[in-house]
Structure formats: C-alpha cells, structure tokens
Amino acid sequence: MADIEGSPGSSMHGVTGREPVLAFSVASPIVPSDTTAKFALPVDSEHKAKVFKLFSFANPHVRTFHLSWISFFTCFISTFAAAPLVPIIRDNLNLKKQGIGNAGVASVSGSIFSRLVMGSVCDLLGPRYGCAFLIMLSAPTVFYMSFVSDASGYIAVRFMIGFSLATFVSCQFWMSTMFNSKIIGLVNGTAAGWGNMGGGATQLLMSFTAWRIAFFIPGWFHIIMGILVLTLGQDLPDGNLSTLQKKGDVAKDKFSKVLWYAITNYRTWIFVLLYGYSMGVELSTDNVVAEYFYDRFNLKLRTAGTIAATFGMANLLARPFGGYASDVAARYFGTRGRLWVLWILQTLGGLTGAGGNFGSGLTQLIIFSTTRFSTEQGLTWMGVMIVACTLPVTLVHFPQWGSMFLPPSKDVIKGTEEHYYSSEWNDGEKQKGLHQGSLKFAENSRSERGRKVASALTPPNSTPVHV
C-alpha cells in the first residue's frame, strides 16, 4: 500500500524522529503534487496542503489550523489568567514577593514534563487525542483556582494549570502533518503566534471582573475546545492515526525508537536551549508585566492589564513574521538561511530586552523569585541571557543542507535527504516498505537546499516509485 501513489497517511515518519528541529518552513519551485487527491486545497505527494488560506475552513487542513491555534490560545489564557490579577490576589491571599515568584515558576514548570509527554503522545496516538484530552483534563484545575484560600494552594493550582501549555506541541506537530514544507514556517508561526496571543488577551479579559469568578471563563473555554477538537479534528490529511494504522496504511511507531532519536540528536538539545530563552522570556514577562506596571506607575488594575496586553497581542504579527522571514530566506539559501534568520531575530530580541518553559522557570527562579533584583533589572538580565543562549545555533549542521557557516556534505550518498531520513530504518524494515513515508518526506524536503533544488542530484533507487 505504501508504494501506491498518494497512499493515505504515509507522512507520519516524515514528521517524527529526525525531522528538521522546530519544523521550520521552506518554499520551493519544485514540490511534487498529487493531482488525483480530492481535497479542497492543492496537495503534495503526502497530501499536505501547498497553499495556506487563512480565512478558509477547508477540511481537513485549514480546519485543523483553526482548531489548533484556538486550543493553544485557550490554554495560554488559563495559564496566565492569574498574572493580571496578582495585585488583588496577593492582598487576598497574603502573598509575598517570593510566593508570587514561586507561583510564576510553578505555572510554567508543569509543562516541562507535559510537553515531553505530549511529543510521544502525538507520535503514538496522534495530535487530536493529545490536544483534546489534555485541554479537558486540565479544565477542573482552572475552575478550582476560584476556591484557593492560601499561598500553597495558589502555587499548586497554577502548577497544574501550566500542564495545559503542552498543547503547543500538538499545535506545531499537527501543522507539520497538514501543510507542505514551502509554507509550514508561515503556518506554524501563525498558529503559535495566535495561540500566544492568549497571554495578551488574558490581560484584558481577566481584569474586568471579580478574580474568583473570572476563572470560570477559561474553564469553560477548555471544555468547549476539547469537545470541538475531539469531534471535528483529524490527525492526518487522510484520516485519524488509529484508523490508518489498523488498515496498515501507517506504520506504528515504538516509543523507545522515538525517544532514542530525539535524545541522541544533538540538534535537539541546542534548540531546547534556544527555545528556552526565547519563549521562556516571553512567559516570564507575561507573569510579571501587569504587576510591574501596576506598582511602578501607580496605574489602575484595568489600565495596567490593558498596557500589558500589548506585549502578548504583538504575537498577532510577530511570530507569523518570523515564519515568513524564514520561508523567504529558505527560497534563496535553504536551511542555512533559516538558521541565520533565527539567530538574527532572537539576538535582536535579546538586545532589546524582550526575548520554553525551562527557560521561563529558570529565569523566574533566578530573577523574579528573589528580592536581589528589581523587576527592571530582571528584564535587562533576561535580554543578556537570551543573547548568550542564541550563540549555539551556529553549531547546528545538517549534512544535506549545511549550517550557518559550513556548506552541506559533498558525499553524493550521505549528503542527501533520502539517506538522512531513511537511516532510521533497518534493512528488514526497508524490505517491508516501512520507510516509504520517510522517502516521500525527503522528496518534499529537497527544497531546503535553497537555490540548489533544481540542480541537486538524487541517488538512484532512493525515490518513491510514484515520482
């Protein structure tokens, strides 16, 4: 079945294990199309959409996009719902600065674990189940925030709500299964950025009602979105993962194999550091910015929340711009262009003091959970930390695409996408055709070469038979 043109669900091994870290996007003049597939949008050989119609609800591609970003948006609202209400909550619960800082650490620490688990859930069960179950299971903790009566309860509940931020993983994973590499940067950037807007929306939403009642709003959002994702969502362009696996159209992944390829790829750890101090700084700022404006400038709570909201609402354009810039750079320079865009944007963010959850937790633990640093000093030191943590991006090298300073390998076999992505399969698995999905993904990812895409050679007997 895997050898047949456009066989359903064959893309799973292209988006797990050894895919380009963070699933960055690319644009290419040569992306094979499957003209026999019946979808509302034009698709490639993996049935991933080749165009992105933002204001459409085309099923399954764009519908999945909207379900994904709104789910992540909902979880951002609930995780940071307490932040704009801290000036009131701290008086009501007799919180000290250390307690407030510890709550901030707790709100992002829970998702360090849940995001690791979510990655495996997406690989093994599919992003639909992962997103829907997590968002609904975390709903009771959001409601319970209305009943906390002391500092320990406040910290514990914020910790539990923070688990829901793992919907970011399902969000990005899902987009990578639905959209072709030439537009995935813009799509991922838009989905993640609009989800991040929840950090700004909550600053506006939560400051306009009594704080205990306010938490019922995001709680109901969780339940509604969980049901919508479960009933309207779809794991892959051709159906849900479990159904396709039963038909034999998709190979079943082993947890040990998925984990092994993740932890043994050095690029994983570099991007953990990079993401930790880009997203980490944003999460830290979401936790302290409203209280900072309230105390520093003696503003009313609603005014402080409104001003603080502008920071999170900037994601309306900021993250989509990052994805688009990466796409444009890739058209000319391939993955090397993407790495340069990443380094430039993140370094500029650090220099202006703006710039994962581990980074956020560590930053808040060091800076905002102690009286040693004022909030102003803490914001400055965050900028310094992000500049330093961006430097390792220069070490990321892909044999088939190169790195910021080094060209790709000249080896005609090892320097190809087919070799890179099929190397996770042993000879026995290849004889069974289980690697065909990886070869399709390799075929569509040749555009990561940039301008070389039209002239680069492909090794014989390495391309799927449908090409």
Side-chain angles (χ1 to χ4, degrees):
M1 185 70 178
D3 291 334
I4 299 175
E5 178 178 359
S7 58
S10 57
S11 61
M12 281 306 291
H13 271 284
V15 296
T16 62
R18 301 194 62 175
E19 70 276 20
V21 183
L22 297 185
F24 286 150
S25 65
V26 67
S28 168
I30 300 180
V31 177
S33 298
D34 185 350
T35 57
T36 65
K38 297 181 180 180
F39 292 99
L41 303 176
V43 297
D44 64 13
S45 58
E46 295 179 282
H47 293 174
K48 297 179 181 181
K50 296 174 61 177
V51 298
F52 179 39
K53 295 185 177 180
L54 180 62
F55 299 108
S56 163
F57 287 93
N59 188 39
H61 303 92
V62 188
R63 178 190 291 182
T64 297
F65 164 79
H66 289 299
L67 289 172
S68 186
W69 81 259
I70 296 174
S71 298
F72 187 39
F73 177 89
T74 298
C75 294
F76 238 85
I77 288 180
S78 59
T79 299
F80 296 101
L85 300 171
V86 164
I88 296 176
I89 295 175
R90 68 186 180 189
D91 294 335
N92 189 263
L93 301 180
N94 297 316
L95 297 175
K96 306 298 181 183
K97 181 174 182 178
Q98 184 175 2
I100 296 172
N102 289 338
V105 173
S107 68
V108 295
S109 296
S111 64
I112 296 174
F113 171 75
S114 63
R115 286 191 175 193
L116 292 173
V117 173
M118 178 62 83
S120 298
V121 169
C122 289
D123 284 329
L124 302 175
L125 300 178
R128 170 173 154 267
Y129 277 152
C131 179
F133 289 160
L134 178 61
I135 199 172
M136 286 194 288
L137 287 173
S138 57
T141 61
V142 181
F143 286 119
Y144 189 76
M145 179 62 85
S146 300
F147 304 100
V148 297
S149 58
D150 54 32
S152 59
Y154 174 70
I155 294 172
V157 173
R158 290 209 65 186
F159 173 76
M160 296 300 296
I161 295 175
F163 275 69
S164 66
L165 286 182
T167 48
F168 170 77
V169 177
S170 60
C171 172
Q172 300 294 274
F173 186 101
W174 221 347
M175 296 304 93
S176 297
T177 67
M178 289 291 178
F179 293 91
N180 177 265
S181 57
K182 73 173 184 176
I183 56 172
I184 194 60
L186 177 60
V187 175
N188 267 343
T190 305
W194 287 15
N196 279 158
M197 282 197 306
T202 195
Q203 307 281 352
L204 293 172
L205 183 66
M206 301 300 287
S207 59
F208 282 84
T209 186
W211 79 267
R212 293 187 183 275
I213 297 176
F215 281 92
F216 280 87
I217 299 173
W220 279 110
F221 280 176
H222 273 246
I223 294 175
I224 293 171
M225 283 311 304
I227 294 174
L228 289 177
V229 168
L230 202 56
T231 56
L232 300 179
Q234 184 172 305
D235 292 318
L236 295 165
D238 297 292
N240 289 317
L241 180 59
S242 59
T243 302
L244 295 173
Q245 286 177 336
K246 290 178 181 178
K247 292 180 179 180
D249 296 332
V250 176
K252 291 185 178 182
D253 279 317
K254 295 181 180 180
F255 174 76
S256 58
K257 186 175 182 179
V258 172
L259 180 64
W260 174 254
Y261 279 113
I263 64 176
T264 57
N265 191 329
Y266 79 93
R267 303 171 192 86
T268 300
W269 301 106
I270 291 178
F271 281 101
V272 165
L273 182 64
L274 289 170
Y275 181 70
Y277 278 98
S278 57
M279 185 62 175
V281 169
E282 178 182 348
L283 300 184
S284 296
T285 305
D286 283 336
N287 264 323
V288 303
V289 66
E291 181 190 13
Y292 169 70
F293 283 126
Y294 180 86
D295 292 333
R296 178 68 175 80
F297 301 104
N298 296 316
L299 300 177
K300 294 181 179 179
L301 183 63
R302 292 182 181 179
T303 304
T306 301
I307 297 174
T310 60
F311 179 80
M313 297 302 289
N315 282 293
L316 175 68
L317 299 176
R319 274 193 137 172
F321 171 76
Y324 177 74
S326 180
D327 284 345
V328 172
R331 291 174 191 170
Y332 301 98
F333 308 106
T335 291
R336 302 179 72 181
R338 299 186 184 286
L339 295 174
W340 274 103
V341 168
L342 171 61
W343 181 82
I344 291 171
L345 293 180
Q346 188 150 315
T347 299
L348 288 176
L351 291 175
T352 58
N357 294 85
F358 178 76
S360 177
L362 184 60
T363 300
Q364 293 212 124
L365 185 63
I366 296 174
I367 296 175
F368 296 113
S369 297
T370 177
T371 57
R372 180 179 179 183
F373 299 102
S374 66
T375 303
E376 298 95 319
Q377 291 174 321
L379 294 173
T380 300
W381 279 110
M382 282 198 302
V384 174
M385 292 168 72
I386 193 173
V387 171
C389 291
T390 304
L391 293 176
V393 73
T394 58
L395 302 176
V396 175
H397 183 275
F398 292 95
Q400 70 275 37
W401 300 318
S403 61
M404 287 177 64
F405 298 105
L406 298 176
S409 171
K410 295 182 180 180
D411 191 309
V412 295
I413 300 298
K414 295 183 178 179
T416 64
E417 291 81 1
E418 286 79 8
H419 180 272
Y420 182 78
Y421 288 111
S422 64
S423 61
E424 67 178 88
W425 303 97
N426 59 42
D427 292 338
E429 291 171 328
K430 290 180 180 179
Q431 290 178 359
K432 296 177 181 179
L434 298 179
H435 69 308
Q436 289 296 320
S438 294
L439 291 181
K440 283 188 178 183
F441 185 81
E443 168 199 350
N444 289 313
S445 68
R446 287 182 205 145
S447 50
E448 291 283 357
R449 301 171 184 175
R451 286 173 174 169
K452 297 191 303 176
V453 64
S455 59
L457 297 176
T458 298
N461 303 320
S462 62
T463 304
V465 296
H466 71 275
V467 179

